[in-house]
Amino acid sequence: MYGCLPLSTINQQWQQQQQQQLSPPPAAKYEQNSGGNVFSNSTASISIKAARDGVDTAVVEEEEGPKLRKFLVFEGHPAPFGATVRDGGVNFAIFSANAVSATLCLISLSDLHENRVTEQIFLDPLTNKTGDFDGSFSPEEGHYYDPSQIVLDPYAKAVISKEDFGVLGPDDNCWPQMACIIPTSDDKFDWEGDSVLKYPQRDLIIYEMHVRGFTQHESSRAEFPGTYLGVVEKLDHLKELGINCIELMPCHEFNELEHYSYNSFLGDYKVNFWGYSTVNYFSPMTRYSSAGTRNCGRDAINEFKLLVREAHKRGIEVLMDVVFNHTAEGNEKGLTLSFKGVDNSVYYMLAPKGEFYNYSGCGNTFNCNHPVVRQFILDCLRYWVTEMHVDGFRFDLASIMTRSSSLWHAANVFGSPIKGDLLTTGTPLSSPPLIEMMSNDPILRHVKLIAEAWDAGGLYQVGTYPHWHIWSEWNGKYRDIVRQFMKGTDGFSGAFAECLCGSPDLYQEGGRKPWNSINFVCAHDGFTLADLVTYNEKHNLANGEDNNDGENHNNSWNCGQEGELASISVKKLRKRQMRNFFLCLMVSQVRFKFYSCSCIYKSFSLVVSQLRLILSDQGVPMIYMGDEYGHTKGGNNNTYCHDNYVTFHTQQLIRSSFESHS
């Protein structure tokens, strides 16, 4: 459905609410495919009462303040989806193929904190909708429509809920009510002429990092620790290292309190620190902003833009780690936050009796190749490129994006039937429509597209991911082979040589180049580089799961003694091994005619600055935040739940672990 409010009226009410330290983020109760334009010339807090058969002449009752006039709901437009400023108002449009009604909920910031709806506007199914619809709360049929639930607009550009990271909501609620920003014609940002940098991929040196973890530790001395602005303060550090591309771990809106529970091992609380559990894909993580919910999330959007702009000024590209394989809503036992309540059977892969497929290992699987969902994903990615100026994306568990959708048949994917089309839900596709559309999109084909080419359902596509000569891959085979070779495992010399040459065994036959291989030894999930040479076994007791979580096969070597308490000779060997790993990553980018590397570099930054002088095309190196100084997590290889010293970058480069030893 769809409809519209006059913008001048909204602005009048917005100005008064700002004076009262209120703001009007919208949410919606969805029982129907709907959209609507809602208008009011009121200038105080109001409530709406209207019959369910229409709201174009809704009666407005005064609660406080001056006498209020009507909200007017006009027919509006079915596109674009989301809340959009147009025709002197704000157009609201949303897709839902199976709902029966919809209500637009307007919520002031003060009411949001009290879990109250400020205004309810019932959209008329006769004038504010297109197409046919039916539906009810029927999980066995894949429908989770519930008029008592307020759900988020999937196209919302900012989501407002809690103000501070890790702080419980009212009544110690881990999931307080959320709402979405209403756009205004004044939403502007001075880009100062900025645009995406478009570096040749062969020239990149990627630094995977966590926005909060990078500056939250007190040693960072950041004015705005743990925020987008905090990262801006430390961009010069990355520039000095020779980094020209940062890969931000998830910055879409997520709820860090999703795993909130007491951790008796450390005496603190577990949270969702990494953020691989998206609530909304268009919204930057508000609690990574120093502004928080100020200005109803608009300042958070601008802080992210400022980070991108300032990175570009220093010659650093910005990639986003995005999670289109699952959402935070979980399975049939999970929450209804957005997609599940809008149209569950469209947005998720479902079995015939409504059960959720779980190729992600996180409870649900995003239905990526459904026509509506793939268009949603394209719209989202284009937004982050055109509006937020990011330079590309790394796709978490990207193999899910190659699987066939629920209710798969050629007619609803390609527009016409194909003889013998008997694919079942989740079947890997050689030419997945979503990947094909992204690869041929006039905007997206010119930015970096990097696949984590596997998923939790056993699909492993490193070297075989559908690519259209554009896609790159996290080369997990490079990681495993280099680790095996470096610890002295027999039989890996030939494979190691292939890695140094850009893995032609994986990429040459398919017509790709060495720089389509993203080479890494360590990443956020798994051992840090220091732990890789310090521990043979994982030590994950601090996660509160009796050491049962995390990968058991790490291909690590402790150099003779387990743990950080070791002899001087073992510590010297560990540091040599760490330098060897770094040199291996950098050699993968250079011609073999480079000068002798018999010297021992004193720091990672020197390795990069020396070897970048002769960069070539033998693969793209990626390092993980903190490995440049030897950060340790105490042997914990699954630190998803730690918002503490375990995961915080400690800015100790002056006391580098890469000092030379004779």
Side-chain angles (χ1 to χ4, degrees):
M1 290 185 80
Y2 45 88
C4 198
L5 282 177
L7 188 58
S8 59
T9 305
I10 293 178
N11 284 339
Q12 290 174 13
Q13 186 171 358
W14 164 251
Q15 290 170 2
Q16 178 157 339
Q17 286 177 326
Q18 282 291 86
Q19 294 171 1
Q20 300 173 356
Q21 295 184 335
L22 305 179
S23 57
K29 298 179 180 179
Y30 292 113
E31 301 166 80
Q32 166 184 339
N33 74 319
S34 67
N37 278 326
V38 186
F39 299 83
S40 169
N41 58 2
S42 70
T43 56
S45 177
I46 58 175
S47 64
I48 303 295
K49 290 188 177 181
R52 287 188 175 271
D53 59 353
V55 293
D56 56 331
T57 56
V59 176
V60 179
E61 292 191 349
E62 179 179 349
E63 292 182 340
E64 294 178 359
K67 185 176 181 179
L68 304 174
R69 303 177 195 148
K70 303 176 181 178
F71 271 85
L72 299 178
V73 181
F74 295 94
E75 182 176 347
H77 305 272
F81 291 132
T84 309
V85 176
R86 63 176 298 171
D87 302 332
V90 177
N91 191 78
F92 299 89
I94 192 166
F95 172 88
S96 182
N98 299 291
V100 295
S101 68
T103 302
L104 176 66
C105 299
L106 301 179
I107 309 173
S108 71
L109 194 57
S110 60
D111 280 344
L112 181 66
H113 295 158
E114 298 297 329
N115 288 323
R116 291 194 301 258
V117 175
T118 309
E119 330 285 359
Q120 294 190 56
I121 299 169
F122 304 99
L123 300 178
D124 190 344
L126 298 178
T127 60
N128 299 126
K129 66 104 181 167
T130 57
D132 298 324
F133 51 85
D134 57 23
S136 60
F137 185 84
S138 179
E140 66 278 6
E141 296 179 305
H143 302 321
Y144 284 80
Y145 300 110
D146 184 350
S148 68
Q149 295 281 349
I150 298 177
V151 297
L152 296 173
D153 175 6
Y155 278 78
K157 302 308 186 290
V159 172
I160 310 302
S161 60
K162 302 180 287 85
E163 294 193 31
D164 300 313
F165 191 94
V167 177
L168 293 168
D171 301 321
D172 292 337
N173 188 356
C174 290
W175 287 95
Q177 180 61 53
M178 296 175 283
C180 314
I181 186 177
I182 293 179
T184 74
S185 58
D186 298 326
D187 295 345
K188 297 177 181 179
F189 178 79
D190 183 5
W191 281 105
E192 300 179 1
D194 175 77
S195 62
V196 294
L197 295 179
K198 297 185 178 180
Y199 286 153
Q201 183 149 312
R202 71 183 73 178
D203 294 339
L204 295 184
I205 297 178
I206 302 174
Y207 186 89
E208 187 192 22
M209 62 179 296
H210 188 281
V211 168
R212 179 173 171 84
F214 191 54
T215 62
Q216 184 62 27
H217 194 273
E218 60 184 10
S219 66
S220 74
R221 299 184 176 90
E223 182 179 356
F224 302 100
T227 67
Y228 303 123
L229 292 184
V231 176
V232 172
E233 295 179 58
K234 299 299 178 180
L235 285 174
D236 289 335
H237 157 64
L238 298 177
K239 181 74 172 178
E240 291 170 1
L241 285 178
I243 302 300
N244 61 7
C245 180
I246 55 176
E247 182 180 297
L248 303 178
M249 290 174 65
C251 291
H252 288 151
E253 184 68 27
F254 67 92
N255 182 8
E256 72 280 7
L257 299 181
E258 180 178 1
H259 305 300
Y260 191 78
S261 61
Y262 183 70
N263 186 346
S264 59
F265 191 90
L266 292 181
D268 63 1
Y269 288 85
K270 296 170 59 176
V271 299
N272 176 10
F273 183 72
W274 284 352
Y276 289 90
S277 193
T278 308
V279 169
N280 184 277
Y281 290 100
F282 282 83
S283 307
M285 176 60 169
T286 306
R287 290 172 300 288
Y288 284 171
S289 163
S290 66
T293 59
R294 189 174 66 229
N295 201 10
C296 203
R298 292 173 178 84
D299 289 353
I301 295 173
N302 287 340
E303 276 195 28
F304 184 92
K305 290 179 177 179
L306 188 144
L307 166 57
V308 175
R309 187 190 72 190
E310 294 305 306
H312 286 174
K313 285 182 179 180
R314 292 161 176 81
I316 299 174
E317 290 194 334
V318 179
L319 308 182
M320 292 187 68
D321 194 342
V322 292
V323 189
F324 287 107
N325 58 78
H326 77 284
T327 75
E329 292 185 296
N331 56 20
E332 57 272 9
K333 297 180 180 179
L335 299 170
T336 298
L337 305 171
S338 179
F339 304 98
K340 188 184 287 187
V342 172
D343 207 328
N344 182 70
S345 63
V346 166
Y347 284 103
Y348 296 112
M349 284 190 191
L350 301 179
K353 294 185 178 181
E355 304 97 332
F356 287 76
Y357 282 93
N358 189 21
Y359 293 114
S360 68
C362 298
N364 63 52
T365 305
F366 216 48
N367 204 20
C368 295
N369 280 296
H370 185 285
V372 171
V373 182
R374 69 175 188 251
Q375 187 61 53
F376 167 82
I377 294 174
L378 258 68
D379 290 344
C380 178
L381 297 175
R382 288 170 182 158
Y383 172 81
W384 284 96
V385 174
T386 59
E387 181 65 25
M388 310 296 269
H389 288 205
V390 301
D391 300 274
F393 307 92
R394 178 264 188 186
F395 295 85
D396 184 64
L397 299 184
S399 289
I400 282 176
M401 301 195 302
T402 71
R403 293 183 181 272
S404 62
S405 61
S406 295
L407 306 177
W408 171 274
H409 57 81
N412 76 4
V413 175
F414 296 106
S416 60
I418 297 175
K419 186 177 180 179
D421 178 39
L422 300 175
L423 292 174
T424 58
T425 299
T427 299
L429 306 172
S430 59
S431 297
L434 172 61
I435 306 302
E436 181 176 10
M437 292 174 68
M438 293 168 60
S439 303
N440 291 287
D441 184 84
I443 294 173
L444 299 179
R445 71 187 314 272
H446 296 295
V447 301
K448 277 73 177 180
L449 302 175
I450 302 171
E452 183 185 38
W454 56 83
D455 65 23
L459 183 56
Y460 191 81
Q461 297 174 304
V462 172
T464 62
Y465 195 82
H467 56 80
W468 279 266
H469 302 285
I470 291 174
W471 285 75
S472 303
E473 298 169 10
W474 265 28
N475 191 344
K477 292 184 178 180
Y478 175 99
R479 172 199 59 203
D480 299 339
I481 291 169
V482 169
R483 288 186 179 190
Q484 292 276 23
F485 177 82
M486 285 295 184
K487 74 173 187 172
T489 306
D490 291 337
F492 282 87
S493 298
F496 178 72
E498 294 272 12
C499 289
L500 294 185
C501 294
S503 301
D505 56 321
L506 297 177
Y507 301 110
Q508 189 172 36
E509 184 176 347
R512 283 188 284 180
K513 303 297 183 181
W515 56 81
N516 291 121
S517 171
I518 307 300
N519 298 337
F520 67 103
V521 174
C522 299
H524 65 273
D525 50 351
F527 282 149
T528 66
L529 187 60
D531 291 346
L532 188 66
V533 299
T534 305
Y535 298 94
N536 284 350
E537 307 294 335
K538 66 182 182 182
H539 295 264
N540 294 3
L541 286 174
N543 298 350
E545 300 180 42
D546 297 325
N547 208 40
N548 292 319
D549 62 307
E551 178 60 55
N552 291 317
H553 306 287
N554 297 286
N555 295 321
S556 59
W557 179 45
N558 63 17
C559 298
Q561 292 178 268
E562 186 78 356
E564 296 183 48
L565 295 177
S567 67
I568 294 177
S569 61
V570 167
K571 289 183 177 180
K572 291 170 73 172
L573 176 57
R574 288 173 178 173
K575 291 180 179 180
R576 184 179 301 120
Q577 285 289 84
M578 293 166 73
R579 292 195 296 275
N580 288 339
F581 277 119
F582 267 124
L583 185 60
C584 184
L585 280 172
M586 295 304 132
V587 166
S588 68
Q589 267 235 14
V590 303
R591 296 183 179 93
F592 287 100
K593 67 180 183 181
F594 67 91
Y595 52 84
S596 171
C597 286
S598 59
C599 58
I600 301 297
Y601 295 107
K602 292 186 178 181
S603 69
F604 164 72
S605 59
L606 182 57
V607 173
V608 174
S609 62
Q610 294 277 358
L611 295 181
R612 283 195 67 200
L613 296 175
I614 43 179
L615 290 178
S616 183
D617 54 4
Q618 302 301 319
V620 175
M622 183 190 80
I623 68 168
Y624 175 58
M625 178 183 81
D627 280 349
E628 72 271 24
Y629 68 86
H631 182 77
T632 179
K633 297 181 180 179
N636 193 327
N637 69 358
N638 190 32
T639 57
Y640 72 96
C641 59
H642 293 285
D643 181 37
N644 52 39
Y645 68 92
V646 175
T647 51
F648 292 166
H649 191 275
T650 53
Q651 306 284 322
Q652 292 177 337
L653 291 175
I654 296 177
R655 300 181 296 278
S656 173
S657 294
F658 297 104
E659 296 174 352
S660 61
H661 291 268
S662 58

